[in-house]
Amino acid sequence: MFNVSHLRCEYRINPIGLDVKSPRLSWQLQSDRRNCMQSAYQVQLSLTEDFDGITWDSGEISTDQSIHVELNHFQPSPVTRYYYRIRAWDDTGSDSDWSETAYFEMGLMDRHNKWKAEWITAQPIDDGDTSCPRMRRQFNVKQPVTSARIYVTALGLYELHMNNTRVGEDYFTPGWTSYRKRLQYQTYDVTHLLQDGQNILGAYLGDGWYRGYLGWNKEREIYGSTSALLLELHMKYADGSEEWILSGGDWTAAPSAIRMSDIYMGETYDAQMESDWSDSSQTNWAPVNVLDHPKDIIVAQENVPVTQVEQLQPIALLTTPQGDRVIDMGQNMVGWVRFSIQGKEGQTVELHHAEILDHQGNFYTNNLRAAKQCIRYTCKGDGVETFEPHFTFQGFRYVKLVGFPEHVCLDEFTGIVLHSNMEQIGQFSCSSPLVNQLHHNILWGQKGNFLDVPTDCPQRDERLGWTGDAQMFIRTSSYLMNTAPFFTKWLRDLEADQEKMAVFHSLFRI
């Protein structure tokens, strides 16, 4: 037995939206013979999954290389999907069958500075408004769609919806970059979300790192004062024609039920303001403003996205000496709590988050400094309501409940663990429970501090990508998880922000 498996392109399984000149392929060999070595390989590309016509063929290449294999003299076209398969020869000259078929899909590539869409932003309500706007565009689909892709980015954070369904599983997009010099865009396959006739494409906008609180000096709007959206929907029809839906002046915007959402402070949500994206009875939809902002700084997604990686169930409901009701998640985690409640119309409940209890067993938040880490939810009052935040995350083990009914059930609360979705590649265990616990703590430390950037802490008013913390931990983190895409993106941002004098001073700092 000798075969090729675990196909990867740029570290990923079937990636879409690539923006590289020559995609690199990697694979693993499986054999029932010990010390089996690859002596040669062959890669084929096709525009069809059945390989009815070969687009590119490497021929037999004599080498043992199977990691980061570049496709020499292959020039990919923008917004095109390529299927690939690989076979190999071992050191005895025996060849494998063709591997299973995988694919990669190119993004906008060299068209990144030729976006047809326009930056759009909601009309300001007042200077003190901290609510998150939402935007929408209605359009018709008149014939079968064979392919539909959304290319999108934002100043701030965005959450996309198509026909009242959330688009993708990514969070905190487009991520934290050196915003004045680099801004990532994401690509989504939305073919399955389109329907015949009328469709509605919508987006929420959040402050995020771009214009929310950042650092410990209670400063906001470090990078900019206006959140904005840039989006292109490319549709291909069965008859070969294409249609694009672009962000522009024909979109409308309205206030949303997200009254405030900040990475440090938490989120305030009024469910009484909820409405369907297609609700035509709303009268507060207003034309958007077109914003003049650069597009030539936009690059394709480089890091793996932040996703909901796992879920934790609470282990206890405590009553502290001070009389607070506190949920114990049993594990210090980063993310948020999804909860259900059957409350009265207009009833407001709060969740406060903390990492520890003090020596008396009371809820302790002094270490958070100015970070509130508070989720505030106002009920509609029409039955059981389930909620989870949109543009904030917390570092916590304990959750204090305020305003909830006298009797609550732990099954109504779920801890949602969020971090950059890196593939775990290393594990450790031994006969010592203490050493195993140390390894467990190290792994959860990585989960808690690898959320788009390598942070120093996930709870207080800091959460910054300090280079010292990452430098000390990078070897360990790379043993535990595939951190290559994560650090590729972050190091390019560091390079973009470097100045010659700053580098000189850091080298000679005492």
Side-chain angles (χ1 to χ4, degrees):
M1 183 270 291
F2 176 59
N3 58 48
V4 177
S5 65
H6 294 81
L7 273 60
R8 300 288 191 274
C9 177
E10 295 296 324
Y11 296 102
R12 305 177 201 177
I13 300 173
N14 299 337
I16 66 173
L18 292 180
D19 192 357
V20 292
K21 293 182 179 179
S22 178
R24 300 172 299 173
L25 304 182
S26 302
W27 58 89
Q28 295 181 13
L29 303 174
Q30 293 182 330
S31 174
D32 54 5
R33 182 171 62 87
R34 292 177 62 86
N35 301 318
C36 179
M37 298 288 291
Q38 174 184 293
S39 63
Y41 73 82
Q42 181 179 4
V43 177
Q44 289 184 343
L45 304 182
S46 174
L47 295 178
T48 59
E49 192 169 5
D50 60 4
F51 283 80
D52 183 17
I54 304 301
T55 302
W56 183 87
D57 191 329
S58 69
E60 183 177 342
I61 305 296
S62 297
T63 177
D64 62 356
Q65 182 182 359
S66 60
I67 298 176
H68 296 332
V69 173
E70 294 191 12
L71 309 181
N72 295 327
H73 309 298
F74 167 67
Q75 294 183 337
S77 299
V79 297
T80 302
R81 172 172 293 189
Y82 296 93
Y83 296 91
Y84 69 96
R85 62 185 183 184
I86 302 168
R87 65 174 177 171
W89 287 260
D90 67 14
D91 48 349
T92 68
S94 299
D95 62 329
S96 71
D97 292 330
W98 286 108
S99 67
E100 293 185 355
T101 299
Y103 65 81
F104 60 86
E105 184 174 306
M106 307 308 298
L108 299 178
M109 296 184 66
D110 57 343
R111 295 191 294 180
H112 72 275
N113 60 351
K114 299 179 182 178
W115 286 69
K116 299 295 189 296
E118 296 178 298
W119 285 104
I120 57 174
T121 183
Q123 296 182 12
I125 298 175
D126 57 65
D127 292 339
D129 180 48
T130 59
S131 63
C132 297
R134 60 178 185 157
M135 302 174 176
R136 73 177 183 183
R137 168 73 153 80
Q138 302 183 52
F139 61 95
N140 288 317
V141 171
K142 300 179 180 179
Q143 57 175 301
V145 176
T146 59
S147 174
R149 301 289 185 270
I150 288 180
Y151 306 95
V152 58
T153 187
L155 303 178
L157 304 177
Y158 69 82
E159 179 181 301
L160 288 183
H161 290 256
M162 177 74 80
N163 297 324
N164 295 306
T165 299
R166 192 184 191 279
V167 175
E169 299 177 348
D170 305 353
Y171 290 84
F172 304 105
T173 47
W176 184 5
T177 56
S178 176
Y179 289 114
R180 298 184 181 93
K181 300 176 182 177
R182 285 164 37 85
L183 181 63
Q184 292 188 133
Y185 76 87
Q186 286 73 43
T187 303
Y188 300 97
D189 182 350
V190 294
T191 312
H192 62 291
L193 295 178
L194 292 173
Q195 58 192 25
D196 293 338
Q198 186 182 74
N199 291 259
I200 296 183
L201 176 59
Y204 292 102
L205 292 182
D207 292 346
W209 300 279
Y210 184 78
R211 65 184 294 261
Y213 285 100
L214 196 60
W216 53 85
N217 292 324
K218 298 182 180 180
E219 293 181 298
R220 297 185 73 249
E221 302 180 353
I222 301 297
Y223 294 99
S225 59
T226 304
S227 58
L229 179 74
L230 183 70
L231 180 148
E232 295 189 359
L233 166 59
H234 295 192
M235 296 182 291
K236 296 180 179 180
Y237 294 114
D239 65 359
S241 62
E242 295 187 22
E243 183 180 3
W244 292 8
I245 304 298
L246 311 176
S247 58
D250 52 354
W251 285 56
T252 55
S256 76
I258 310 173
R259 308 312 300 150
M260 183 278 293
S261 191
D262 182 87
I263 288 177
Y264 291 171
M265 302 308 172
E267 186 164 305
T268 298
Y269 190 90
D270 187 351
Q272 297 174 112
M273 295 183 62
E274 285 183 344
S275 64
D276 192 281
W277 283 99
S278 60
D279 188 356
S280 59
S281 64
Q282 277 196 306
T283 59
N284 57 353
W285 289 98
V288 298
N289 291 335
V290 174
L291 181 68
D292 182 17
H293 192 81
K295 302 174 188 174
D296 57 355
I297 61 173
I298 300 175
V299 299
Q301 171 91 23
E302 296 168 329
N303 192 0
V304 292
V306 175
T307 62
Q308 296 189 9
V309 181
E310 57 189 296
Q311 300 182 4
L312 299 179
Q313 293 304 129
I315 63 171
L317 178 62
L318 313 173
T319 300
T320 69
Q322 293 180 343
D324 294 324
R325 285 188 299 169
V326 175
I327 290 176
D328 181 1
M329 298 303 302
Q331 168 67 54
N332 201 1
M333 57 168 285
V334 172
W336 57 56
V337 173
R338 178 193 298 142
F339 66 92
S340 298
I341 183 174
Q342 187 167 356
K344 299 177 181 179
E345 181 180 359
Q347 177 184 350
T348 297
V349 297
E350 295 180 357
L351 286 75
H352 298 260
H353 303 75
E355 289 189 308
I356 59 174
L357 305 177
D358 66 16
H359 65 283
Q360 295 176 335
N362 289 313
F363 196 71
Y364 182 81
T365 58
N366 288 351
N367 65 311
L368 301 181
R369 298 188 300 213
K372 300 298 183 184
Q373 287 209 140
C374 173
I375 302 300
R376 183 176 291 109
Y377 180 82
T378 301
C379 301
K380 288 183 292 187
D382 61 355
V384 177
E385 306 171 40
T386 301
F387 176 76
E388 58 186 311
H390 300 77
F391 301 122
T392 186
F393 65 89
Q394 290 81 46
F396 65 100
R397 172 176 172 174
Y398 299 98
V399 183
K400 183 172 72 174
L401 306 180
V402 177
F404 278 81
E406 181 179 354
H407 300 287
V408 296
C409 178
L410 289 183
D411 292 341
E412 297 168 342
F413 302 87
T414 302
I416 306 299
V417 180
L418 293 148
H419 61 76
S420 293
N421 193 7
M422 301 166 290
E423 180 183 4
Q424 186 168 344
I425 57 176
Q427 185 54 271
F428 171 85
S429 64
C430 67
S431 60
S432 170
L434 286 177
V435 175
N436 288 338
Q437 183 63 46
L438 175 62
H439 172 75
H440 173 88
N441 294 350
I442 292 169
L443 178 61
W444 275 89
Q446 180 165 355
K447 292 179 180 180
N449 285 290
F450 278 56
L451 195 149
D452 199 65
V453 295
T455 58
D456 58 326
C457 60
Q459 77 298 82
R460 64 185 182 184
D461 55 349
E462 193 166 359
R463 315 184 193 188
L464 303 176
W466 297 112
T467 55
D469 301 71
Q471 176 180 296
M472 294 296 294
F473 191 61
I474 188 171
R475 289 176 181 262
T476 301
S477 67
S478 299
Y479 170 81
L480 294 174
M481 297 182 182
N482 180 5
T483 63
F486 180 91
F487 280 115
T488 295
K489 173 256 186 184
W490 183 66
L491 289 172
R492 286 174 178 169
D493 284 319
L494 286 187
E495 181 184 28
D497 276 339
Q498 278 184 330
E499 297 178 1
K500 291 183 180 180
M501 289 303 295
V503 175
F504 177 84
H505 287 155
S506 67
L507 289 174
F508 292 93
R509 183 174 299 162
I510 297 176

